Amino acid sequence: MPAARRNRDYVRAMTAIRVLLVDDDPLVRAGLSFMMGGADDIRIVGEAADGGEVETLVDRTRPDVVLMDIRMPTVDGLTATERLRARPDAPQVVVLTTFHADEQVLRALRAGAAGFVLKDTPPAEILDAVRRVAAGDPVLSPTVTRQLMEHAAGTAADTRRARARERIAALNDREREVAVAVGRGLANADIATELFMSVATVKTHVSRILAKLDLNNRVQIALLAYDAGLLDADGDGD
């Protein structure tokens, strides 16, 4: 192999997004692996058939993104996500599911997953989701976020609201405004325009919110804002 090609392949391998596939269906894993194998900027570094294998494989392969099935026979994707996101320097997790609105998907998002994709999502959109999550952007539209949160509303809603309000109380007024805007699905540029601040200041506020509330990503900010009642029509949470 020519030296120029070897160097090019080495650079590509070192800069590609490293992905770990976790699904108990070998056909699903094979399909995802085949699809992603054609992308120059994505590299499959490992596969697992059960959530119980995830932590060992993460230590061995150091992925940037884990595509995680929810329903697996021994250790499910929810438990695996909770364990993984509790670790320092954990990779991003994207949940694989067959349902738009599912309590387990919502629990995975609360545990720190950066979003979810449906298993029948077109290949180009799955690749885009991996790239976005690797870049730090959650893969969840405001419409789907609200659908999931409303799906989970029920007997535990009052308890969640009380706990969420206790946590939100740690924010100052400006951070609370930013949290509400994030919960509404606004991008940083839109938040900056609406709240009359720079994009850099918005990013600073988002970082402070994540740190103060011990959250992993913007999806969790949106979920907490919803739980606290900040996204109610009247906007006051009452």
Side-chain angles (χ1 to χ4, degrees):
M1 180 184 296
R5 180 178 175 184
R6 287 200 303 270
N7 290 338
R8 185 171 60 251
D9 290 344
Y10 174 79
V11 171
R12 179 179 297 168
M14 295 304 294
T15 58
I17 300 167
R18 300 169 63 83
V19 177
L20 173 64
L21 301 178
V22 185
D23 196 297
D24 64 332
D25 187 336
L27 292 179
V28 171
R29 295 199 310 274
L32 289 169
S33 183
F34 177 79
M35 174 190 67
M36 293 185 181
D40 290 340
D41 60 338
I42 294 176
R43 179 184 173 198
I44 304 300
V45 295
E47 298 183 14
D50 188 78
E53 306 171 40
V54 171
E55 291 187 272
T56 298
L57 280 173
V58 164
D59 289 337
R60 183 186 307 160
T61 64
R62 300 295 178 184
D64 301 302
V65 178
V66 178
L67 281 179
M68 182 86 74
D69 186 23
I70 284 288
R71 292 172 173 81
M72 291 179 284
T74 307
V75 177
D76 63 28
L78 172 62
T79 301
T81 297
E82 290 173 337
R83 291 175 180 173
L84 196 56
R85 292 302 299 172
R87 294 160 51 115
D89 300 320
Q92 297 293 339
V93 176
V94 178
V95 173
L96 289 168
T97 181
T98 55
F99 299 98
H100 280 282
D102 183 273
E103 174 66 19
Q104 288 186 309
V105 174
L106 184 61
R107 288 176 61 192
L109 295 174
R110 293 187 191 281
F116 76 90
V117 293
L118 299 177
K119 290 187 177 181
D120 59 359
T121 297
E125 293 182 21
I126 294 179
L127 294 175
D128 180 62
V130 169
R131 294 179 180 118
R132 286 172 55 193
V133 166
D137 296 326
V139 184
L140 207 60
S141 71
T143 300
V144 173
T145 303
R146 181 167 291 277
Q147 181 184 11
L148 279 166
M149 291 186 290
E150 290 176 349
H151 173 76
T155 56
D158 289 341
T159 300
R160 283 202 311 271
R161 174 158 295 196
R163 291 176 179 172
R165 287 182 176 181
E166 289 180 5
R167 298 182 68 187
I168 288 290
L171 304 180
N172 62 37
D173 290 343
R174 204 57 164 162
E175 290 164 348
R176 179 184 171 112
E177 289 177 335
V178 172
V180 170
V182 169
R184 289 167 48 210
L186 298 183
N188 286 341
D190 297 323
I191 297 174
T193 299
E194 183 171 293
L195 298 181
F196 304 102
M197 62 177 70
S198 68
V199 172
T201 301
V202 173
K203 291 180 179 179
T204 298
H205 281 308
V206 170
S207 295
R208 288 175 178 169
I209 292 168
L210 292 172
K212 279 187 175 183
L213 302 181
D214 193 25
L215 301 176
N216 289 296
N217 53 47
R218 295 168 73 100
V219 174
Q220 288 188 322
I221 294 176
L223 294 171
L224 190 64
Y226 178 88
D227 285 346
L230 300 186
L231 305 185
D232 291 350
D234 59 8
D236 62 9
D238 294 326

